[in-house]
Amino acid sequence: MILQNRIKELVSILNDHGYRYHVLSQPAISDAEYDSLYRELEALEASNPEFILPDSPSKRVGGQILSEFQSIAHQVPMLSLDNAMNAEELTEFDSRVKRFLAKEDLPEAEVTYTVEYKFDGVACSLRYQDGILLSAATRGDGQVGEDITENIKTINSIPLRLRSGLLAKGTIDIRGEVLILKDDFLKFNQQRIAKEEAPFANPRNAASGSLRQLDSKITAERPLSFFAYGYGFVSDINLPEETNQVMSLIKDAGFSTSSFYYLASNLFELLEYYQQALAQRAQLPFDVDGIVVKVNSIPLQKILGFKQRSPRWAIAGKFPPVEAITKLLNIDIQVGRTGAITPVAILEPVTVGGVVVSRATLHNQDEIERKGLLIGDRVVVKRQGDVIPAVISFIAEARDGTQVKFIFPNNCPVCETELVRPEGDAVSRCPNNHCPAKTAERIRHFASKAAVDIDGLGERNVSFLLENGLIKNIADLYRIDFGRLAELPRYTEYSAQKLAQSLEDSKSITLDRFIYALGIRHVGVRTAKLIAATIYKIENFFSLTQEILFTIPEVGPEIARSILDFLNQPEEIALVHDLLELGFNVQEIKQIEIADNFFKDKTFVITGSFEKYSRDELKELIENSGGKVSSSISKKTDYLIAGEKAGSKLAKASELNVQILEEEALISLILNSYSDDKK
């Protein structure tokens, strides 16, 4: 009992000093004193493993190496934010919020906003149960992330046990950003260079790569920090009804939060804080790319709700992109998977917003001519949205007569086929379907995570397989001679077998991802989902017509033309059949058919909060069933779907004799209106 109590005491002391050092930056003991206490704890735990506590600082040291990351579904999605690129767009956001609330019969609602830094790091969600860190996940696609619990435990600024407070009981997901401070990044890269290891390009990439290490001991060596910015799923905790109060609780629980955090009581103050944060940007110890603005009232957040991919009650106020001046050394030509010819600026390396930039997009031939760029020019480079580098203009005063005009090629730089540029198209293209560059890019697209997701088949490995004659096209991936592959440099018997397994796993795929993987021009992830939802199974893909395509939301003449061009090419149809014969299991989408017209031409209004579905989900269910959803009650309203705290709309519906349904009644109607007969 004495040993167990001493272990508890040491864990409490060490965690408190860790919090003072890593979060408050106010160390209360020397490193030597901390190390002495830590060694005592290690010795006691080694001889008494049954007494090891889940929040022991020894748990931060990496354990077993993982073979792969497991998935964690977010019970509350981690949605992205819409962007406001300047003060005018922030003003429009404020207007949208107030217009929406006015439609909800809240024209005089007092709207205040929290304003904080938008960290340029990696978003994560940490689940705490009764104050103990239970699991951690990356944002992923917003619905499902990767389980990075062991890696997160190595970050000293993340509490393994929450400090006393309201959040120490029940379950809560703390949302925040993992990043590397600027000084830490500089020192870390210097250490890598000293070890003859390649330095990281920027802090964000370094943080992202560190979190995706299967060996958490490697993550533990990286100087990662964590800043909390909010919460997701909550159970058995009665949180305050204002965001700033919740953030105070999160800070008290032991987390670092934004040092720039204000409550704007009106639009004028909001814009003032935006300008203040922008002015402080260069002096910050970490990278930020803007501010995050949230409606402070949580009840108002619930009323405002969500759009398809983002909340209505929050926005990212982005900073103007960082710019730098450098020399345009040359212009290279790249060939994309659809044959698009893209000029790329080769630049004298320059640091732009903390990132070394040596290449930048020039988009197309017209863009070069419009900007009047010459090889040898001094040019202005910016990171668009603080991410993608682009050449903006040249410095006329720096021209000395040595600059030369770039001659755009008439032939593909890879296969020498004459380029084509249809009238009205901004891009020249290589029409040769067997162009090696197009083939390589198309295979990379096919293997990408959003497509069939072939683990271990990145850009270099695709090039290696092509150069060594193991593949000539997409289908050849599934005919690779792995015995021969294992004999070649770059691969071992183990890595060859691993690739073989990844290829086999990739054969089981949803219909929308299979369509996206085919690389049809203009068909992105969302369009592929819409097509799949219309055709339900791969057999129907081959019989798509213009008439059918025009019934699909967001598919216009250009997209329809691209799909029909694909379907009219015997080689492409042969590829799809080839993949199916090679064992692809393209999963059908269950088709449901409206059995009667109950919902047809009926108008619904949704108000209040619901137990099983969000408002947006109920809206989607109604519209998919043939009904219409309005935001306001009128005599033309057929049904009001009322949840908790329905408010004035419920009273108005009663006054107008509008029929009122609860959530369960609506779902029952929807289920009764559908038949599973048609597949």
Side-chain angles (χ1 to χ4, degrees):
M1 194 67 179
I2 294 173
L3 290 176
Q4 185 177 7
N5 287 338
R6 179 55 179 165
I7 287 174
K8 287 182 180 178
E9 183 182 22
L10 286 169
V11 167
S12 178
I13 292 170
L14 288 167
N15 281 342
D16 184 63
H17 285 301
Y19 169 71
R20 292 175 184 277
Y21 183 89
H22 294 288
V23 177
L24 301 181
S25 299
Q26 297 172 354
I29 60 174
S30 68
D31 289 349
E33 289 174 300
Y34 182 92
D35 290 342
S36 176
L37 293 169
Y38 187 83
R39 284 195 296 271
E40 182 186 352
L41 176 65
E42 277 188 313
L44 289 174
E45 288 181 339
S47 56
N48 303 275
E50 69 276 16
F51 296 148
I52 296 176
L53 297 173
D55 59 327
S56 170
S58 65
K59 303 286 280 186
R60 295 191 184 278
V61 180
Q64 183 178 359
I65 299 175
L66 302 175
S67 58
E68 62 179 2
F69 288 109
Q70 300 300 313
S71 295
I72 291 183
H74 301 299
Q75 284 180 263
V76 174
M78 293 186 72
L79 300 177
S80 56
L81 297 178
D82 283 344
N83 292 330
M85 304 309 293
N86 49 46
E88 289 74 20
E89 292 184 10
L90 281 173
T91 302
E92 175 54 28
F93 164 72
D94 174 67
S95 299
R96 284 199 305 272
V97 166
K98 290 169 180 173
R99 284 198 302 268
F100 190 94
L101 293 175
K103 287 182 182 178
E104 297 291 314
D105 297 328
L106 293 166
E108 298 178 3
E110 184 180 344
V111 182
T112 59
Y113 301 102
T114 61
V115 185
E116 61 192 295
Y117 287 131
K118 183 177 183 297
F119 297 105
D120 189 14
V122 182
C124 298
S125 183
L126 319 180
R127 171 152 294 188
Y128 287 84
Q129 189 167 303
D130 293 331
I132 297 293
L133 178 61
L134 186 67
S135 62
T138 60
R139 179 182 180 275
D141 63 2
Q143 303 291 333
V144 178
E146 290 181 324
D147 185 343
I148 53 167
T149 307
E150 294 307 310
N151 290 342
I152 281 294
K153 285 181 178 179
T154 69
I155 302 175
N156 289 309
S157 56
I158 292 177
L160 300 179
R161 180 192 292 272
L162 299 180
R163 300 172 71 81
S164 60
L166 180 64
L167 307 186
K169 294 293 182 183
T171 303
I172 186 168
D173 291 348
I174 300 294
R175 302 277 169 85
E177 207 92 356
V178 173
L179 48 85
I180 298 179
L181 303 180
K182 291 176 182 177
D183 286 348
D184 290 340
F185 178 70
L186 183 61
K187 292 173 187 174
F188 181 57
N189 262 351
Q190 288 172 343
Q191 292 168 0
R192 289 183 66 85
I193 293 168
K195 296 177 185 177
E196 297 186 350
E197 296 174 345
F200 283 101
N202 57 63
R204 191 187 187 286
N205 286 359
S208 178
S210 299
L211 288 179
R212 299 206 75 259
Q213 296 295 323
L214 294 172
D215 184 355
S216 58
K217 288 188 176 72
I218 297 175
T219 308
E221 296 171 354
R222 307 284 173 85
L224 299 174
S225 296
F226 179 83
F227 288 82
Y229 59 66
Y231 67 97
F233 176 77
V234 180
S235 177
D236 299 325
I237 301 175
N238 292 318
L239 293 177
E241 292 196 335
E242 293 189 349
T243 301
N244 63 331
Q245 294 174 354
V246 176
M247 288 306 300
S248 292
L249 290 175
I250 290 173
K251 186 175 182 179
D252 291 343
F255 292 96
S256 298
T257 57
S258 175
S259 56
F260 182 94
Y261 196 90
Y262 292 97
L263 188 62
S265 59
N266 52 50
L267 176 61
F268 177 76
E269 288 185 2
L270 168 59
L271 299 180
E272 269 200 335
Y273 291 137
Y274 173 71
Q275 294 300 331
Q276 184 179 331
L278 177 56
Q280 296 174 357
R281 179 186 195 183
Q283 286 74 46
L284 295 176
F286 39 70
D287 286 333
V288 299
D289 54 7
I291 59 170
V292 174
V293 179
K294 301 175 187 174
V295 171
N296 189 40
S297 166
I298 295 172
L300 288 184
Q301 288 181 10
K302 292 177 180 177
I303 291 170
L304 287 160
F306 299 86
K307 296 186 287 184
Q308 187 172 6
R309 297 184 181 88
S310 59
R312 289 193 184 90
W313 45 266
I315 198 164
K318 301 299 287 275
F319 290 152
V322 179
E323 297 181 349
I325 296 175
T326 188
K327 187 175 183 179
L328 176 59
L329 301 176
N330 206 344
I331 294 177
D332 194 11
I333 294 293
Q334 289 185 340
V335 184
R337 63 181 171 84
T338 63
I341 304 298
T342 304
V344 177
I346 308 301
L347 305 168
E348 195 171 83
V350 62
T351 300
V352 185
V355 177
V356 177
V357 172
S358 58
R359 297 166 71 87
T361 181
L362 291 170
H363 299 293
N364 53 54
Q365 181 179 359
D366 292 347
E367 186 78 357
I368 296 173
E369 293 175 357
R370 184 181 67 80
K371 291 177 178 175
L373 300 176
L374 301 177
I375 294 173
D377 269 337
R378 298 288 291 173
V379 293
V380 177
V381 180
K382 78 171 182 180
R383 290 173 64 203
Q384 295 177 323
D386 280 2
V387 178
I388 304 168
V391 175
I392 305 307
S393 60
F394 68 90
I395 308 297
E397 297 80 5
R399 284 186 172 171
D400 57 9
T402 61
Q403 292 76 19
V404 295
K405 185 176 181 178
F406 173 71
I407 306 300
F408 204 87
N410 294 317
N411 297 80
C412 173
V414 177
C415 69
E416 299 186 353
T417 301
E418 186 175 353
L419 301 178
V420 296
R421 182 177 174 182
E423 187 176 348
D425 201 331
V427 178
S428 297
R429 297 182 185 276
C430 172
N432 178 11
N433 285 339
H434 301 286
C435 173
K438 286 175 66 173
T439 300
E441 289 301 320
R442 190 167 177 190
I443 293 172
R444 288 168 190 143
H445 171 82
F446 182 84
S448 66
K449 195 171 185 67
V452 301
D453 189 16
I454 304 173
D455 188 33
L457 198 62
E459 183 175 344
R460 292 181 181 178
N461 287 341
V462 169
S463 298
F464 181 85
L465 295 174
L466 287 166
E467 289 164 4
N468 286 276
L470 280 95
I471 60 173
K472 292 182 179 178
N473 55 43
I474 289 171
D476 282 350
L477 289 169
Y478 300 90
R479 302 188 183 98
I480 290 175
D481 182 341
F482 290 100
R484 181 185 163 203
L485 179 63
E487 296 172 355
L488 295 174
R490 191 178 182 85
Y491 278 90
T492 63
E493 185 175 344
Y494 172 76
S495 59
Q497 288 176 351
K498 190 175 179 182
L499 177 60
Q501 186 60 53
S502 293
L503 285 160
E504 190 62 32
D505 292 344
S506 72
K507 290 180 181 178
S508 181
I509 189 171
T510 58
L511 177 58
D512 59 303
R513 287 177 58 199
F514 184 78
I515 293 171
Y516 172 71
L518 296 175
I520 304 170
R521 187 181 173 196
H522 300 310
V523 177
V525 172
R526 177 168 172 77
T527 303
K529 285 181 182 292
L530 293 170
I531 294 170
T534 300
I535 64 174
Y536 303 105
K537 53 185 178 180
I538 188 61
E539 289 79 5
N540 295 334
F541 177 69
F542 304 105
S543 55
L544 276 171
T545 63
Q546 180 172 289
E547 289 73 25
I548 295 173
L549 288 168
F550 281 172
T551 67
I552 300 174
E554 300 179 27
V555 172
E558 192 172 18
I559 296 175
R561 187 162 50 248
S562 288
I563 296 168
L564 294 175
D565 286 347
F566 180 93
L567 292 171
N568 286 328
Q569 295 183 52
E571 280 184 272
E572 301 293 9
I573 297 301
L575 168 65
V576 178
H577 284 300
D578 202 2
L579 290 171
L580 296 175
E581 289 171 8
L582 284 163
F584 261 78
N585 173 27
V586 183
Q587 298 152 23
E588 292 184 11
I589 294 177
K590 189 175 182 181
Q591 181 174 355
I592 52 180
E593 181 181 32
I594 297 177
D596 55 44
N597 290 324
F598 174 81
F599 284 87
K600 186 179 179 182
D601 297 329
K602 288 188 170 64
T603 301
F604 295 76
V605 173
I606 306 170
T607 187
S609 57
F610 300 89
E611 184 179 344
K612 294 180 180 178
Y613 296 89
S614 69
R615 288 193 198 184
D616 284 346
E617 287 170 335
L618 290 176
K619 180 175 184 287
E620 186 176 354
L621 286 169
I622 291 168
E623 289 176 342
N624 287 345
S625 304
K628 301 174 185 177
V629 177
S630 174
S631 61
S632 57
I633 291 273
S634 71
K635 291 181 179 179
K636 295 181 179 179
T637 305
D638 294 293
Y639 293 94
L640 175 74
I641 312 303
E644 290 186 22
K645 299 179 181 178
S648 59
K649 287 186 179 179
L650 182 59
K652 191 170 183 179
S654 300
E655 182 184 324
L656 295 173
N657 294 319
V658 172
Q659 189 166 343
I660 298 165
L661 297 176
E662 294 182 349
E663 182 181 19
E664 286 189 10
L666 172 68
I667 300 306
S668 178
L669 281 172
I670 290 172
L671 292 175
N672 289 335
S673 297
Y674 279 74
S675 165
D676 294 340
D677 297 336
K678 189 176 179 182
K679 295 289 180 81

